Amino acid sequence: QVQLVESGGGSVQAGGSLRLSCAASGFIFSRSCMGWFRQTPGKEREGVAVLDAYKATTYGDSVKGRFTISRDNDKNTLYLQMDSLKPEDAGIYYCARRSGGWSYCPSLDRGDRDYTDWGQGTQVTVSS
């Protein structure tokens, strides 16, 4: 049974940093495309960053240069380091695994349609 458990959310001031973690179990983590998505009120869930099994990364335009996605395959954990946070980064952040256990990640332009396993989410609040 696939389980994804996010942690690390919280409240910070603009310009601050947070590191999100996602503990994964129930599948071969090292072979899976993994991603971070976020949901804000009134908007569709958007892709923030994805990382494939070969450690190739893709970032959403709004977070490039500020966020870093990484993974520790020994710990079955996915991370999202968020620096220079802005109020518009606030939302619920979700960890996700691409359906079918694919190693490569699809384009972020496809949104979240290719991901079927999700964590419960962790709230990020950024005050100005």
Side-chain angles (χ1 to χ4, degrees):
Q1 180 181 356
V2 174
Q3 280 198 319
L4 301 170
V5 180
E6 302 97 334
S7 61
S11 297
V12 295
Q13 289 191 327
S17 298
L18 283 173
R19 188 174 84 152
L20 306 183
S21 299
C22 171
S25 61
F27 63 100
I28 303 175
F29 177 77
S30 62
R31 297 182 186 175
S32 297
C33 158
M34 300 294 297
W36 287 99
F37 294 78
R38 69 185 177 195
Q39 178 85 59
T40 54
K43 292 186 178 180
E44 290 187 358
R45 187 159 53 188
E46 65 169 330
V48 175
V50 295
L51 173 62
D52 70 21
Y54 309 100
K55 300 195 176 179
T57 58
T58 305
Y59 294 92
D61 288 341
S62 64
V63 306
K64 283 180 183 176
R66 299 188 297 120
F67 290 12
T68 303
I69 187 172
S70 63
R71 66 197 300 160
D72 185 332
N73 290 334
D74 291 334
K75 296 181 178 179
N76 285 358
T77 302
L78 183 73
Y79 301 101
L80 184 68
Q81 177 67 42
M82 305 187 295
D83 298 319
S84 303
L85 281 160
K86 303 176 181 180
E88 52 264 41
D89 293 319
I92 301 174
Y93 282 70
Y94 297 92
C95 169
R97 171 192 179 232
R98 185 182 178 186
S99 61
W102 285 87
S103 294
Y104 289 99
C105 295
S107 168
L108 280 178
D109 292 341
R110 291 183 55 81
D112 62 5
R113 71 184 74 175
D114 297 302
Y115 297 79
T116 53
D117 298 309
W118 296 86
Q120 82 287 352
T122 186
Q123 179 75 50
V124 171
T125 303
V126 184
S127 58
S128 57

